[in-house]
Amino acid sequence: NEDRGVMVEKAFSGYFLNTPELKLEKEEVKEEDKEFLLEHKTKNNYHNLRDFRILNKFKVTGLGNEDEYEAFKAQHPDTVVHPLFHGTGYLGGTFILRSGFQVTRGSLVKAGRAMGDGIYLAPNMDKSIQYCHDGRNVERHKGKGFIFECEVVLDGKDSHQWDSGRFRSSEVVVRDARKQIKILYAYEVEKLGR
């Protein structure tokens, strides 16, 4: 009966075809990790987050975009934002960990395009955790997914856009994920009390 984290690592290990340098360093989940995520929650609980647990925490390095990201960051040193969070289902999370964030276009997008094509991130973890599911038809991972803690470089109107006040909490869309997003941690989470 293997530890769930070991099973996740084994499941990932055969799929990182595009990123041979990828390293997922499993870290012990501590109470401070949940406290950190809860610090980045909307103050008025807009998203009705009841409870969640962190199943595993992975430090992520070697996704293959480090040089592009660091060069872009050097050009825009005053526009770095940390943390921003991206939430996705279990299946989507494994794809992100295989090849980084990929901007999908049009009908391939799973969840909304209110600000156009791009990768959506939020300063509020409870907004991101709403997307931690694989849909009604995937019973196996129901209520489970990944929250990615990211450092993001924002450089101007063409590459990102904060919401225009029509959403209940802020979010940003990034157009060039390879240059603008560095994944620091991947938290495998489970939403409780649905």
Side-chain angles (χ1 to χ4, degrees), residues 1-17 22-26 56 58 90 94 97-98 140 146 188:
N1 196 2
E2 286 186 285
D3 171 74
R4 183 169 171 72
V6 172
M7 290 182 353
V8 170
E9 288 175 293
K10 281 184 178 178
F12 289 158
S13 65
Y15 293 104
F16 299 123
L17 305 175
L22 178 72
K23 290 186 183 133
L24 286 181
E25 183 180 323
K26 185 178 177 191
N56 287 293
F58 300 96
Y90 200 85
T94 61
L97 288 170
R98 287 180 202 153
R140 181 174 170 201
F146 285 90
E188 181 189 6

Side-chain angles (χ1 to χ4, degrees), residues 10 12 24 26 30 36 56 68 75 99 104 109 111-112 124 137 140 158 172 185:
K10 281 184 178 178
F12 289 158
L24 286 181
K26 185 178 177 191
K30 299 178 181 168
F36 167 75
N56 287 293
E68 288 176 78
Q75 294 170 359
S99 56
T104 54
V109 176
N124 302 309
N137 300 327
R140 181 174 170 201
D158 294 332
V172 64
Y185 290 97

